[in-house]
Amino acid sequence: MSDSPASAGFPRRRLLTGTAGLALLLAGCTSGGSGAAAEETTAAQEDRLTAQVPVQEAVVAAYDAALAADPALGGTVPDLPGQAREQLERLRAAAPGATASSSSVPPGPPAGTDVRAWLRDQVSAAATAHAAACVEASGAGAALLGSLAAGLRGHAAALA
């Protein structure tokens, strides 16, 4: 029998192709806004990214402080500090107006605390901040912030 449920009616592939074509058509029709509006959006996007640079700087500083407090920690998560630095560089590249800041750098883990747990808390807080900023961003900025948030969630899981 050649009349299977999959071949009866409107094929899914044709529906998806039509939907994608319609989305492209709509995007083409609505993307021609004024130059001033596009510049305003770009400036707001850069501001959102710039605001997240100190958050990521704090993550890098937290790794440095944690490794200074517990050098053995570096052997258990050797790639994470370098990844945090790479994330910071990507963020700085996307926010060219950003300058180095020391205002949000954590002082280091308090004496007698679990350094790994302290670091995990710092990383989790930064992931939450990036995720919140991602919701307000768009396009490449949203993708970058979402990537940073997801990456830091992976760091937090590795530190658990």
Side-chain angles (χ1 to χ4, degrees):
M1 296 199 141
S2 63
D3 288 334
S4 68
S7 65
F10 197 70
R12 230 181 311 182
R13 189 173 292 156
R14 193 175 291 164
L15 175 66
L16 292 175
T17 303
T19 304
L22 180 60
L24 288 174
L25 177 64
L26 290 175
C29 290
T30 60
S31 66
S34 72
E39 287 178 27
E40 198 173 293
T41 300
T42 301
Q45 184 87 319
E46 286 181 15
D47 290 346
R48 285 185 187 95
L49 293 174
T50 299
Q52 292 304 301
V53 170
V55 173
Q56 191 65 28
E57 287 174 340
V59 171
V60 171
Y63 270 109
D64 291 344
L67 293 175
D70 183 7
L73 181 62
T76 62
V77 290
D79 297 336
L80 300 186
Q83 289 174 5
R85 280 184 172 69
E86 288 173 18
Q87 291 170 333
L88 176 58
E89 293 310 313
R90 287 185 8 227
L91 187 54
R92 282 184 177 153
T99 58
S101 168
S102 61
S103 62
S104 63
V105 175
T113 63
D114 179 0
V115 174
R116 189 178 193 102
W118 174 84
L119 179 58
R120 184 177 58 246
D121 290 345
Q122 302 301 308
V123 168
S124 293
T128 299
H130 288 326
C134 174
V135 172
E136 297 175 1
S138 63
L144 176 60
L145 292 173
S147 171
L148 295 178
L152 291 178
R153 291 287 180 218
H155 285 216
L159 290 166

